[in-house]
Amino acid sequence: MKALIQFWAVRTQREKFILSGGGAILAGMLIYAYALKPMEMERITISARLPEMRTTAMQMQSALGEVKKLRAILPAGGTNDTSRATTRNIVLKTLAADGMDADQIEVLRSGKFKVSLKMIPFAKYTKWLETLQTRHGIRLELCDLQVVGKPNMVDVTSTLMRP
């Protein structure tokens, strides 16, 4: 430190001015290079992604509205067995209403239902799922579709659950 003080003390006023000015310019360049330029680049990146982020936020708001609507539909209370029996009855009634018949309905340990349907039109299947979700709050968790010989006909094994 003494060497630096001595170095500074022997400099003329003009040399001190030049060294101070050079140090200030160097400090300014370093601040720009390591702080201001990266912040400007990040601002440009965020500005470019802003429309995408707004779209995502609107989709999330829409999903929140749907969740609230579905939660309002679900019946409150009831025991687990009653809920399972009710859900099974709903599945059977909605299948019958759409003119379909389940080959097998299996109640899984977790309270989910595994429904097997054979040779059904795909459009009827999607309509049935929509009815289950919008009217009864039963959602599809897993689906195994296999196309069979005829056009638009499928064999389906679906795992359904009621939140």
Side-chain angles (χ1 to χ4, degrees):
M1 187 70 172
K2 286 184 180 182
L4 184 61
I5 293 173
Q6 185 180 6
F7 172 79
W8 191 254
V10 296
R11 299 291 143 220
T12 65
Q13 191 65 20
R14 184 172 182 202
E15 287 176 333
K16 289 179 181 179
F17 179 74
I18 291 171
L19 288 174
S20 298
I25 291 172
L26 180 62
M29 289 171 57
L30 290 174
I31 289 172
Y32 177 78
Y34 289 106
L36 298 177
K37 186 65 175 174
M39 288 189 321
E40 175 67 15
M41 297 304 292
E42 189 64 24
R43 186 192 65 79
I44 290 169
T45 303
I46 290 173
S47 294
R49 290 188 49 220
L50 189 59
E52 176 188 340
M53 290 189 284
R54 283 186 178 146
T55 302
T56 303
M58 287 191 300
Q59 289 172 344
M60 291 172 73
Q61 287 291 336
S62 173
L64 177 63
E66 185 175 348
V67 166
K68 287 179 180 178
K69 183 177 109 182
L70 289 174
R71 284 190 177 160
I73 293 172
L74 295 177
T79 64
N80 202 14
D81 291 335
T82 305
S83 177
R84 287 181 183 173
T86 303
T87 304
R88 180 180 167 83
N89 288 337
I90 289 170
V91 168
L92 288 171
K93 286 178 184 177
T94 55
L95 279 170
D98 286 337
M100 296 184 288
D101 188 28
D103 289 336
Q104 179 182 4
I105 297 180
E106 178 183 350
V107 179
L108 305 175
R109 281 188 178 179
S110 57
K112 299 173 184 173
F113 289 83
K114 191 173 193 177
V115 180
S116 297
L117 305 168
K118 303 284 185 200
M119 292 288 293
I120 60 165
F122 182 72
K124 272 190 174 184
Y125 175 69
T126 56
K127 181 181 176 235
W128 174 67
L129 285 177
E130 180 183 13
T131 302
L132 284 177
Q133 183 172 342
T134 57
R135 293 188 186 162
H136 305 289
I138 299 170
R139 69 180 178 99
L140 177 68
E141 183 176 73
L142 182 67
C143 179
D144 179 32
L145 283 170
Q146 293 182 358
V147 178
V148 293
K150 296 179 182 177
N152 296 321
M153 299 298 278
V154 292
D155 287 347
V156 183
T157 303
S158 304
T159 302
L160 306 169
M161 71 174 288
R162 182 176 234 168

